[in-house]
Amino acid sequence: MADHNLQSNNGQSSTSSTSSVQPTAMTNWPAPPSVDAFFGLAGEFVVLVQPHTEADNVALLLQFLVGFGNVIGRSAHFVAESHRHYGNLFLTLVGDTAKGRKGSSWSHVLRVLRMIDEPWATNGIGSGLSSGEGLIWQVRDATEQQRPIKEKERDLGIADKRLLVIEEEFVRVLASMGRDSNTLSAVLRQAWDSGDLRTMTKSSPTRSTGAHLSIVTHVTRAELRRAMAETEHTNGFANRFLWACVRRSKSLPEGGRIHEVDFESFVRRMRAAVKFAAEVGRIDRDDQARHRWCRVYDVLSAGKPGLLGAVTARAEAQVMRLACLYALLDLSPVIKLNHLNAGLALWDYCERSTAHIFGSSLGDRTADTLLAELRQVADIGLTRTEMLHRVFNKNKSAGEIADALRLLHDNGLAYRKDDPVPAVGRSAERWFPTLTT
């Protein structure tokens, strides 16, 4: 198991001789994951690398799991309600600034995975997500088309459908999704769910069967909150991602000495894990893990209010995908208690990160704007007339404001108070924000 110091301050080891970096604006930064998350080979990788990088331990750990989950392809899986879940993960690393060393953390993961599968490292990593059709083309099936002059044109397609997409500018991906008729969001959802990709456009009949897509994206918190369109909060795109807050862990003016680290034994065991994953097939929980799962399932599956609830709606599946990867790295054909605990610990951090990133946002711009204004005038509140004129400058209808107020009320964020003796010509209804502690 990894060194217990790994849980201290998101990548800052208390045993490091280097000076740590303490950013000034870290209000409500999520507490680091427990040591359980650093179980097995994944934790050992972080132990080997972390003294030689300024990257966050969580960024190292999660990207290692994403990379391993893509390398092993589409064999090992677990089944939930007749639906197969494989080891492909979607991940977004979020920093409060651009200095989170998000990119450097991936370079360490790639160095090790290249030793294990050079063809994959050369051909199976890409970038430039812009359309669903373009993504399908990268993992397309073989096709045969009849030409007008009775000739057949054959496309052999892509034999190896493992693809790991690295997007260091996630806002560009979100901008592409916002364009009319763009199919990228729908195709990404298909990729996470089943790996069978297609669009409904007549002009693009290309499809892919059994694609194994994983994603790592980078973004700052400010960029993300500005750029994510409302539809992407609610249509199931966001909850297929793991969201993790990361930051620079330490200052290494001379860059560390990663070239002196001996990875031979580690790589040998990783090769064994990749081989094992290719042969194991279906994975189930053992009795201890099943008992633990039954105790946490209701909490994981319970709906949460607002945008946080929408973005974390696939908690159960995310935890199990993580637990499967920990089990495979441990050469185990079943998910044991320590594998499940590792997945739960890492998911717990991702959920705390999501709360930090999106706060109390509801994913509805009218309601979020109204809540912000209500909090500015918490002592006196606002009438609907004041909302219409002062807050929205008559750019919202009474019905839109009513819908926003209903959403705020249903989520416990605002309440109505009636004046028992309203002044002539004034509304008896006034709205206030719910006080939070």
Side-chain angles (χ1 to χ4, degrees), residues 63-351:
Q63 288 180 108
F64 176 83
L65 290 169
V66 172
F68 172 71
N70 195 261
V71 167
I72 62 177
R74 219 157 181 82
S75 176
H77 64 277
F78 76 95
V79 177
E81 295 188 359
S82 301
H83 182 75
R84 287 191 176 193
H85 288 266
Y86 295 90
N88 57 311
L89 300 173
F90 291 4
L91 168 67
T92 299
L93 300 177
V94 184
D96 273 354
T97 72
K99 296 291 186 181
R101 298 300 189 266
K102 297 183 284 291
S104 62
S105 56
W106 168 247
S107 67
H108 292 294
V109 176
L110 181 58
R111 178 188 295 108
V112 170
L113 294 180
R114 187 179 295 278
M115 299 178 196
I116 296 163
D117 192 335
E118 173 66 33
W120 170 86
T122 301
N123 303 311
I125 301 174
S127 63
L129 287 174
S130 60
S131 70
E133 294 81 4
L135 175 58
I136 294 173
W137 183 257
Q138 298 302 314
V139 287
R140 65 191 181 278
D141 291 343
T143 58
E144 190 173 86
Q145 293 182 339
Q146 187 74 41
R147 309 300 292 175
I149 57 174
K150 297 183 179 181
E151 292 181 355
K152 289 184 178 180
E153 182 178 90
R154 183 166 178 78
D155 179 357
L156 297 178
I158 304 298
D160 187 347
K161 295 184 180 180
R162 297 174 299 168
L163 178 62
L164 173 56
V165 178
I166 307 291
E167 291 292 346
E168 296 190 356
E169 298 292 339
F170 191 39
V171 289
R172 294 181 183 176
V173 178
L174 295 174
S176 295
M177 289 179 181
R179 300 186 187 118
D180 289 342
S181 303
N182 188 283
T183 60
L184 182 56
S185 177
V187 172
L188 287 177
R189 281 177 274 152
Q190 294 169 8
W192 194 90
D193 291 349
S194 69
D196 295 335
L197 317 181
R198 62 176 297 184
T199 66
M200 299 299 290
T201 58
K202 183 178 179 181
S203 60
S204 181
T206 308
R207 64 180 59 190
S208 178
T209 306
H212 192 66
L213 178 71
S214 305
I215 301 175
V216 175
T217 67
H218 303 166
V219 71
T220 68
R221 182 172 179 259
E223 288 173 333
L224 182 64
R225 288 170 68 92
R226 284 196 304 266
M228 276 191 87
E230 290 180 7
T231 54
E232 300 311 331
H233 295 156
T234 57
N235 68 5
F237 165 79
N239 58 38
R240 287 165 171 84
F241 277 77
L242 298 168
W243 302 85
C245 289
V246 297
R247 61 189 182 186
R248 186 181 176 191
S249 64
K250 64 179 78 69
S251 175
L252 293 175
E254 297 184 348
R257 305 185 68 83
I258 193 68
H259 59 282
E260 296 181 356
V261 177
D262 183 3
F263 285 101
E264 183 178 355
S265 174
F266 180 82
V267 168
R268 185 169 59 251
R269 287 180 290 151
M270 278 294 298
R271 288 195 183 109
V274 170
K275 182 176 184 296
F276 174 81
E279 301 169 349
V280 70
R282 177 168 173 168
I283 299 177
D284 292 310
R285 293 176 286 265
D286 71 3
D287 289 343
Q288 281 188 305
R290 188 175 298 110
H291 179 69
R292 169 80 164 135
W293 180 251
C294 289
R295 287 190 288 121
V296 302
Y297 180 79
D298 286 344
V299 175
L300 289 173
S301 59
K304 295 181 176 60
L307 183 54
L308 176 63
V311 176
T312 59
R314 282 180 167 77
E316 314 97 291
Q318 298 282 18
V319 169
M320 286 304 301
R321 289 193 183 198
L322 291 168
C324 278
L325 293 176
Y326 281 108
L328 295 170
L329 286 165
D330 203 27
L331 304 184
S332 174
V334 296
I335 295 172
K336 300 179 181 178
L337 182 60
N338 45 17
H339 308 140
L340 179 57
N341 285 340
L344 287 166
L346 198 46
W347 169 255
D348 186 52
Y349 180 76
C350 291
E351 189 172 57

